[in-house]
């Protein structure tokens, strides 16, 4: 009996897919771990593994990394435990398993391919969920994440192909056994040991013992858990960092200039300094909303337009048009949140118009959406209220930068406004996180 | 078959060990950087702190007079006195009448000259209106100055007292109208009587409260010049 050959390409494809998935997951984890120092770093964002990190401040991978969907246990660990870490362990297992499948050839038990095909649907399912969230919640597809999705799909495809090819091979082998196998000798005499030894028909692939599957599952679980446990155990303590960014010196404002945004059930006092045309303010607002925290904040809203049209602290406009939009927010008063969120949603267009010198165009956009505030924008009282907000900022000696958020009177550090947000909120406003 | 299994186990163990070591190393490196803080040599964008306005007219000479006046006239520090009288101003400013007035020239459009009747410290409606409008047009200014004068008519003592009353009239009007608890820390009073820094008739071209009425050298000095001052100290 000759040694039969099995189709090698599905195993090889599974191996390649696993290696690619491992590289993408490792890069994603590396980017995440880099940020544990609370500083700003470049992020890898390419379909080609190993390409240098991108300097773009807000690339899609950074958006994904800062999103609530990038990690778990985010209120327990600063930044949480990145989902990609599970992928690192899982793809390490799949790499080893597909190498085994590739080298095992015909002697590999049938259960190996069946197991790989079944279990490889797990990363596919996880990828499908993450892709759905990327499309519907983030509006961006991070290239590194897409690399993981593609690797998962390729792995599953290869594993399924492995099962199908094996099935075909087994069927062919069985058919050959039925038609060609020398059950009797050439003269009708029953086959001897020698005849059977000369038989070239391959025997059917062995199914493998039932214990294999739970064993492989256990190993997979161990592989997936190991990097996670190492990561969590190696993390530093952030307790002393999150409340080290100062306090509001003079939280009381006596002229009633500041706006209040108090959703029903909001309990945590917060003071938020924002510029409606500042992209970072928009990102923070979206994160607070996505984390389910915004509605728990009894917010004192202070508009801080970085626009020298009304703000004397600047010699040029960082966000031209933001004085006008800030006045619109002030005019909306009890509906300030609606105008602010609209401004965030239309930020690029408003900024584009104002930067191009078409401030009347930006004003027309505001008027078209909120005609009731149009006359109020030009009122002297509105300007005075905005000036009083800016005076409040001067009185508190705040940095000329947005956004700034104070929980009670304690400032949430800028470093904690993205990945570390749930953790820092948990420390500074435990009730808010517990009530989520 | 056994060989393939061994190879698989070896690859798995190697990858898992490498992953664990890499993860541990990355987190440990980040911990170390966290402990050290940001590189002090790295170029870090300086972030300004919110402050009062500082416009071009805030020359060193202007700010020197401003600082001395604020120190001596009760706005800065714990001094119980409020305001400065002619002798103080002369000493503090240590400059001539003309130079003193010239310091305020950049405030021509920012401020206003509030005029009074002869021998009176009573504000008229036009005067009150301008004072209130100016007060509300604070922008980034830190201090509001009231520089009151009196005309040459009458003796020095009488005019010193009269200019003091005129300065107080403006201050009381602001207090009554706006109830600002920080007002004392914002308003600087100077009363010059008729002894120092008299205004010339050219000041009739400034923003005066009695537009359309005769403006003589005497009339322009029966006044209080009021303005926010957009200077940091």
């Amino acid at each position: 009996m000759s040694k039969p050959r099995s189709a090698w390409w599905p195993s090889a494809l599974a191996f390649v897919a696993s290696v690619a998935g491992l590289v993408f997951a490792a890069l994603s984890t590396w980017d995440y771990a880099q940020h544990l120092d609370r500083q700003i770093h470049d992020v890898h964002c390419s379909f080609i593994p190993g390409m240098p990190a991108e300097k773009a401040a807000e690339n899609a991978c950074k958006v994904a990394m800062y999103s609530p969907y990038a990690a778990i246990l985010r209120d327990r660990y600063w930044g949480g435990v990145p989902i990609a870490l599970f992928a690192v362990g899982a793809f390490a297992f799949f790499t080893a398993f597909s190498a085994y499948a590739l080298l095992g050839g015909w002697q590999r038990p049938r259960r190996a391919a069946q197991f790989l095909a079944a279990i490889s649907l797990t990363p596919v399912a996880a990828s499908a969920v993450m892709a759905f969230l990327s499309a519907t919640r983030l509006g961006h597809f991070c290239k590194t994440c897409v690399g993981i999705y593609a690797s998962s799909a390729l792995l599953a495809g290869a594993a399924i192909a492995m099962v199908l090819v094996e099935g075909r091979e087994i069927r062919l082998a069985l058919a050959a056994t039925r038609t060609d196998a020398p059950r009797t000798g050439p003269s009708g005499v029953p086959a001897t040991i020698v005849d059977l030894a000369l038989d070239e028909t391959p025997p059917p692939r062995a199914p493998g013992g039932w214990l294999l599957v739970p064993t492989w599952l256990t190993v997979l679980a161990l592989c997936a858990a190991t990097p996670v446990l190492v990561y969590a155990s190696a993390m530093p303590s952030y307790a002393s960092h999150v409340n080290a960014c100062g306090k509001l010196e003079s939280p009381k404002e006596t002229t009633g200039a500041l706006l209040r945004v108090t959703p029903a059930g909001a309990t945590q006092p917060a003071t938020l300094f924002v510029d409606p045309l500042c992209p970072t303010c928009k990102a923070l607002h979206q994160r607070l909303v996505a984390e389910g925290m915004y509605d728990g904040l009894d917010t004192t809203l202070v508009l801080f337009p970085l626009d020298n049209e009304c703000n004397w602290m600047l010699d040029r406009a960082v966000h031209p048009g933001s004085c006008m939009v800030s006045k619109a927010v002030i005019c909306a008063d009890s509906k300030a949140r609606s105008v602010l969120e609209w401004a965030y949603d239309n930020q690029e267009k408003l900024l584009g118009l104002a930067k191009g010198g078409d401030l009347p165009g930006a004003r027309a956009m505001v008027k078209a959406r909120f005609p009731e505030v149009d006359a109020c924008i030009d009122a002297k009282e509105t300007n005075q209220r905005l000036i009083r907000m800016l005076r409040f900022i001067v009185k508190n000696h705040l940095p000329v930068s947005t956004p700034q958020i104070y929980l009670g009177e304690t400032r949430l550090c800028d470093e904690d406004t993205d990945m570390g947000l749930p953790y820092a909120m948990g420390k500074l406003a435990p009730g808010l996180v517990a009530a989520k | 078959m056994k060989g393939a299994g061994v190879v698989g186990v070896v690859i798995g163990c190697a990858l898992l060990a490498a992953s664990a070591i890499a993860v541990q190393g990355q987190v440990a490196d980040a911990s170390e950087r966290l402990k050290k803080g940001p590189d002090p040599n790295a170029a870090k964008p300086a972030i300004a702190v919110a402050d009062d306005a500082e416009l071009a007219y805030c020359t060193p000479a202007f700010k020197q007079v401003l600082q001395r006046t604020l120190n001596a006239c009760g706005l800065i520090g714990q001094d119980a006195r409020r305001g400065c009288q002619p002798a103080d101003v002369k000493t503090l400013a240590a400059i001539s009448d003309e130079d003193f007035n010239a310091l305020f020239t950049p405030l021509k459009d920012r401020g206003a000259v509030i005029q009074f009747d002869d021998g009176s410290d009573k504000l008229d409606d036009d005067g009150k209106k301008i004072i209130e409008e100016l007060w509300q047009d604070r922008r980034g200014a830190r201090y509001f100055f009231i520089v009151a004068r009196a005309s040459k008519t009458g003796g020095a003592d009488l005019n010193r007292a009269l200019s003091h009353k005129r300065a107080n009239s403006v201050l009381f009007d602001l207090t009554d109208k706006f109830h600002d608890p920080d007002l004392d820390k914002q308003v600087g009073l100077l009363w010059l009587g008729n002894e120092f820094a008299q205004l010339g008739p050219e000041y009739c071209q400034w923003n005066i409260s009695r537009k359309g009425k005769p403006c003589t050298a005497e009339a322009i000095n029966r006044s209080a010049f009021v303005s926010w001052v957009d200077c940091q100290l």
Side-chain angles (χ1 to χ4, degrees):
Chain A
M1 184 171 67
S2 71
K3 196 170 184 179
R5 292 188 63 189
S6 172
W8 58 271
W9 65 265
S11 311
L13 195 58
F15 181 78
V16 170
S18 302
V19 171
L22 178 60
V23 172
F24 281 120
L27 283 175
S28 185
T29 302
W30 190 74
D31 285 335
Y32 214 91
Q34 279 273 91
H35 286 77
L36 292 179
D37 62 4
R38 297 169 93 237
Q39 293 170 36
I40 295 166
H41 298 277
D42 300 332
V43 170
H44 292 89
C45 208
S46 170
F47 290 127
I48 304 165
M51 288 296 281
E54 281 187 12
K55 292 200 184 300
E58 285 298 330
N59 68 40
C61 296
K62 200 163 245 183
V63 171
M65 195 171 80
Y66 288 169
S67 78
Y69 315 109
I72 57 168
L73 301 175
R74 294 163 70 248
D75 51 352
R76 192 161 164 196
Y77 300 102
W78 193 95
V81 175
I83 302 275
L85 259 182
F86 292 95
V88 168
F91 278 114
F93 172 84
F94 290 132
T95 304
F97 198 89
S98 49
Y100 155 71
L102 182 62
L103 297 173
W106 186 257
Q107 292 182 318
R108 180 184 71 219
R110 284 209 302 272
R111 239 178 271 295
Q114 291 162 356
F115 169 76
L116 191 61
I119 207 69
S120 67
L121 295 177
T122 317
V124 170
S127 295
V129 170
M130 299 307 283
F132 175 77
L133 291 171
S134 295
T136 57
R137 303 287 170 86
L138 306 183
H140 294 276
F141 279 102
C142 135
K143 288 179 186 169
T144 313
C145 311
V146 171
I148 297 176
Y149 309 157
S151 304
S152 303
L154 194 61
L155 172 64
I160 291 166
M162 214 185 286
V163 172
L164 295 176
V165 168
E166 269 188 20
R168 208 180 101 245
E169 286 171 351
I170 290 166
R171 279 194 303 279
L172 286 174
L174 286 173
T177 306
R178 279 195 297 272
T179 55
D180 306 332
R183 294 291 159 234
T184 58
S187 54
V189 180
T192 63
I193 291 172
V194 175
D195 291 326
L196 290 172
L198 291 171
D199 180 7
E200 291 188 355
T201 310
R205 190 188 284 275
W210 279 108
L211 273 179
L212 283 174
V213 171
T215 306
W216 288 332
L217 272 176
T218 308
V219 175
L220 171 60
L222 276 174
C223 285
T226 302
V228 173
L229 293 174
V230 170
Y231 184 93
S233 63
M235 279 193 80
S237 167
Y238 292 87
S240 62
H241 294 274
V242 292
N243 56 7
C245 293
K247 288 181 178 291
L248 266 186
E249 291 177 27
S250 307
K252 294 270 183 293
E253 204 281 339
T254 52
T255 68
L258 312 184
L259 291 161
R260 286 294 288 273
V261 178
T262 310
T267 52
Q268 172 62 47
T271 308
L272 198 52
F273 297 85
V274 294
D275 174 340
L277 297 189
C278 136
T280 324
C281 301
K282 174 183 173 179
L284 175 63
H285 181 89
Q286 288 174 337
R287 273 196 287 276
L288 286 169
V289 172
E291 298 283 358
M293 292 172 178
Y294 196 91
D295 286 340
L297 296 176
D298 179 6
T299 305
T300 299
L301 186 65
V302 189
L303 293 156
F304 193 2
L306 300 183
D307 176 6
N308 65 340
E309 192 250 316
C310 61
N311 186 343
W312 61 87
M313 299 164 223
L314 299 141
D315 54 9
R316 62 184 178 279
V318 181
H319 303 130
S322 67
C323 287
M324 182 271 291
V325 180
S326 295
K327 288 176 187 172
V329 176
I330 289 172
C331 290
D333 201 31
S334 62
K335 291 179 183 168
R337 181 177 173 177
S338 306
V339 180
L340 186 63
E341 288 182 338
W342 174 84
Y344 286 149
D345 290 343
N346 294 277
Q347 200 174 69
E348 282 181 24
K349 201 169 178 189
L350 288 165
L351 262 179
L353 287 168
K355 278 185 176 167
D358 187 11
L359 192 57
R363 173 72 182 267
M365 272 182 74
V366 176
K367 187 180 178 182
R369 177 63 185 82
F370 300 102
E372 67 277 14
V373 303
D374 188 57
C376 166
I377 290 173
D378 295 324
K380 201 187 287 178
E381 292 74 22
T382 309
N383 186 54
Q384 285 164 3
R385 192 168 177 188
L386 181 56
I387 296 294
R388 290 204 299 274
M389 287 187 178
L390 294 171
R391 296 295 327 168
F392 178 71
I393 289 161
V394 170
K395 195 175 175 186
N396 281 285
H397 302 110
L398 300 186
V400 182
S401 112
T402 53
Q404 295 179 53
I405 178 167
Y406 289 78
L407 294 160
E409 291 170 17
T410 307
R411 182 171 179 191
L412 180 75
C413 299
D414 291 343
E415 297 88 341
D416 296 324
T417 55
D418 37 59
M419 282 168 61
L421 185 64
Y423 176 85
M425 287 294 223
K427 293 287 174 196
L428 299 178
L432 186 66
V433 175
K436 251 199 327 168
Chain B
M1 171 59 199
K2 271 186 184 168
V6 170
V7 170
V9 169
V10 169
I11 290 176
C13 289
L15 286 177
L16 195 60
S19 304
I21 290 167
V23 166
Q24 207 279 339
Q26 288 158 10
V27 179
D29 286 350
S31 302
E32 197 57 34
R33 292 196 303 274
L34 178 72
K35 212 181 287 176
K36 283 184 187 162
D39 180 3
N41 299 320
K44 199 179 165 187
I47 297 178
V49 172
D51 206 343
D52 305 306
E54 172 85 347
L55 298 191
Y57 65 79
C58 302
T59 59
F62 184 82
K63 287 169 80 165
Q64 189 180 43
V65 172
L66 197 64
Q67 180 77 60
R68 287 176 179 173
T69 311
L70 293 172
N71 282 334
C73 304
L75 265 83
I76 295 176
Q78 301 302 313
D79 199 326
R81 15 182 332 226
R82 278 200 55 77
C84 280
Q85 46 192 319
D88 298 327
V89 179
K90 266 186 199 170
T91 316
L92 293 168
I95 52 175
S96 70
D97 296 32
E98 290 74 24
D99 287 347
F100 180 84
N101 282 342
L103 289 174
F104 291 88
T105 304
L107 299 174
K108 181 179 177 185
D109 298 322
R110 182 80 160 110
V113 180
I114 310 300
Q115 293 169 290
F116 293 85
D117 289 335
D118 188 9
S120 167
D121 62 324
K122 191 169 181 292
L123 283 166
D124 59 21
D125 289 345
D126 288 341
K128 284 181 182 176
K129 186 167 176 276
I130 291 183
I131 290 166
E132 287 156 16
E133 282 174 359
L134 281 177
W135 178 259
Q136 291 183 319
D137 186 24
R138 180 177 182 179
R139 289 174 249 169
R142 168 73 179 84
Y143 297 108
F144 190 82
F145 264 68
I146 304 170
V147 186
R149 294 177 172 83
S151 67
K152 291 285 184 190
T153 312
D157 289 344
L158 175 82
N159 281 316
R160 195 180 301 152
L162 184 58
S163 64
H164 188 184
K165 285 180 184 172
R166 284 172 177 161
N168 278 336
S169 292
V170 177
L171 178 64
F172 297 154
D173 182 62
L174 290 173
T175 310
D176 293 345
K177 179 79 183 173
F178 296 104
H179 310 287
D180 187 337
D182 293 331
L183 195 125
D184 281 355
K185 294 173 194 155
Q186 295 162 13
V187 180
L189 295 183
L190 285 83
W191 58 94
L192 307 179
N194 62 2
E195 301 156 66
F196 183 67
Q198 285 275 290
L199 299 174
E202 67 275 17
Y203 285 89
C204 291
Q205 305 307 312
W206 284 36
N207 180 20
I208 57 174
S209 64
R210 293 180 175 174
K211 294 181 186 79
K213 292 185 179 170
C215 180
T216 61
E218 290 284 295
I220 195 70
N221 282 293
R222 289 195 284 268
S223 67
F225 173 72
V226 293
S227 179
W228 282 106
V229 177
D230 306 273
C231 297
Q232 297 171 7
L233 287 174

